[in-house]
Amino acid sequence: MANRIDLTLEGLHQLQERIGRQQLEGDDWAVVGALVSRLIARTEARQARLKAKAAQQAAQDAADSSSNAEDSAPTGEPSEPGVSGEPAPEQATEQGADSTEQDAPKKGHGRNGADAFNGMKIVHALAAGILGAICAACGVGRISRYRTKVIIRVIGQSLFGAVHHAFEQGRCRLCGAIITAEGREIVRDGIGTSYITYDWSACAMLIVMHYFAGAPFKRLEALHQGWGVPMPDANQWRIVDECDDLLAPLYNALESRGIQNATALRIDDTGSMIIDTRRAIRQEIQVLEQLGESTKHVRTGINATGVYLEVEGATVVLFFTGNHH
């Protein structure tokens, strides 16, 4: 067993000075030898780990290549067991059992992965010069790129956000003409008045919260009054009633994507009532009766049809209400 060498930090600094002057004393050689031996042991251990990792990666690549070659090999006439590298039935059964056990899905931990969260992504880069530099912890290895550390930070926010746009104006003292700064066309894109406008995203959110989440207009009014974004229930109903044309492109895009890329479809309908549609049906029946024609082909039912479409990475739910669905 090697003798234990006890040194203080001051003693190491003195040894470093003697090494610089090339004037080592008798006891210094034992200390230098111990330090060099420790450095050699650490370097050898690091090289052994790197070799083991490289061998493991090479074995994995060879296994993947062998698996791909077997999958791409052409199928021919069946041969005897054990010939041409094919396993015997007993071996094939055992391999199949092992494969089933290996391919069994792993149990989750009840957590959502980072990909389950949608939102803005911010990348925090390392400071310049860190990658490729000598490690400050061991003083030997170099820093290389490693897998990114992902942290999800959930924040709270109101359903609707109001933005104040202040346009500077000028007025002629003589004729009273008013000149306003440019940019009002973008702000007025939506529905509303000259004082307040509602973007298509606000209309879509209001429809989702009321008809999908089941939140009454009055409850949304009280909720956003506390958040400083007044949304009177009467205004909410007017927004829903007037946003058909504004949301038509979005609805048509969802409908086209859902129908063209659907992997699963479920459909159901139930009776509904639209006063204008009911009046139109009655008028059509009255006209046919006055003309003495049959009214059997007139569709009198009004249904609300719900369509559930599963597409890759999302679900599309559409509702159609009328007498043609």
Side-chain angles (χ1 to χ4, degrees):
M1 176 180 290
N3 295 329
R4 178 182 178 87
I5 301 176
D6 295 328
L7 285 177
T8 62
L9 181 59
E10 183 180 358
L12 289 175
H13 283 299
Q14 294 175 358
L15 175 61
Q16 185 180 20
E17 293 178 359
R18 290 195 295 271
I19 292 175
R21 297 195 304 267
Q22 297 182 357
Q23 296 177 354
L24 294 179
E25 299 177 356
D27 296 336
D28 294 339
W29 293 104
V31 177
V32 173
L35 293 175
V36 173
S37 299
R38 185 176 181 183
L39 180 59
I40 291 175
R42 292 178 59 180
T43 305
E44 289 178 346
R46 180 173 177 272
Q47 291 180 352
R49 291 195 300 269
L50 293 176
K51 290 180 180 179
K53 185 176 181 180
Q56 183 180 5
Q57 184 64 34
Q60 182 66 30
D61 295 342
D64 295 341
S65 301
S66 177
S67 176
N68 295 333
E70 291 177 359
D71 295 339
S72 60
T75 58
E77 295 296 332
S79 59
E80 297 180 359
V83 180
S84 301
E86 294 184 4
E90 295 80 8
Q91 297 176 352
T93 304
E94 294 176 359
Q95 291 180 1
D98 295 340
S99 178
T100 303
E101 294 178 359
Q102 293 177 0
D103 297 338
K106 297 181 180 180
K107 294 183 179 180
H109 300 282
R111 302 184 302 182
N112 290 318
D115 296 336
F117 294 86
N118 294 326
M120 180 175 58
K121 294 184 179 181
I122 301 177
V123 178
H124 301 269
L126 291 171
I130 290 183
L131 293 178
I134 299 297
C135 176
C138 66
V140 178
R142 291 187 177 273
I143 302 298
S144 61
R145 191 174 299 278
Y146 190 55
R147 64 173 181 265
T148 303
K149 175 65 175 179
V150 179
I151 300 176
I152 304 298
R153 184 168 184 261
V154 181
I155 62 175
Q157 61 185 21
S158 59
L159 298 175
F160 306 96
V163 180
H164 293 252
H165 292 269
F167 295 91
E168 189 177 9
Q169 295 188 127
R171 183 175 182 272
C172 177
R173 294 183 178 180
L174 181 61
C175 67
I178 298 176
I179 301 176
T180 307
E182 298 180 354
R184 287 185 296 175
E185 294 77 11
I186 300 177
V187 178
R188 288 180 177 177
D189 185 16
I191 61 174
T193 64
S194 60
Y195 167 71
I196 181 171
T197 60
Y198 297 92
D199 186 64
W200 70 268
S201 59
C203 300
M205 177 60 72
L206 180 59
I207 292 175
V208 169
M209 290 301 301
H210 181 70
Y211 293 100
F212 183 78
F217 288 142
K218 194 64 180 178
R219 186 175 301 171
L220 292 176
E221 174 186 357
L223 184 64
H224 274 273
Q225 185 68 32
W227 278 332
V229 185
M231 292 284 289
D233 59 343
N235 288 359
Q236 295 179 47
W237 170 249
R238 181 175 60 82
I239 293 171
V240 172
D241 187 45
E242 296 179 0
C243 69
D244 295 346
D245 296 336
L246 188 64
L247 295 181
L250 175 62
Y251 191 91
N252 294 333
L254 288 174
E255 182 180 6
S256 300
R257 173 172 173 78
I259 294 175
Q260 295 176 5
N261 302 281
T263 58
L265 166 66
R266 288 192 293 235
I267 188 170
D268 190 17
D269 56 7
T270 184
S272 183
M273 172 58 68
I274 301 179
I275 297 178
D276 292 340
T277 304
R278 175 59 62 188
R279 290 175 179 173
I281 293 174
R282 291 177 179 176
Q283 292 177 359
E284 183 180 0
I285 293 176
Q286 291 176 359
V287 171
L288 292 175
E289 289 177 347
Q290 292 176 0
L291 296 176
E293 299 181 3
S294 175
T295 59
K296 294 182 178 180
H297 66 280
V298 178
R299 180 174 176 84
T300 59
I302 302 176
N303 292 325
T305 304
V307 181
Y308 179 90
L309 301 166
E310 292 183 1
V311 299
E312 184 179 358
T315 300
V316 179
V317 181
L318 304 174
F319 294 93
F320 304 87
T321 304
N323 62 333
H324 296 292
H325 297 284

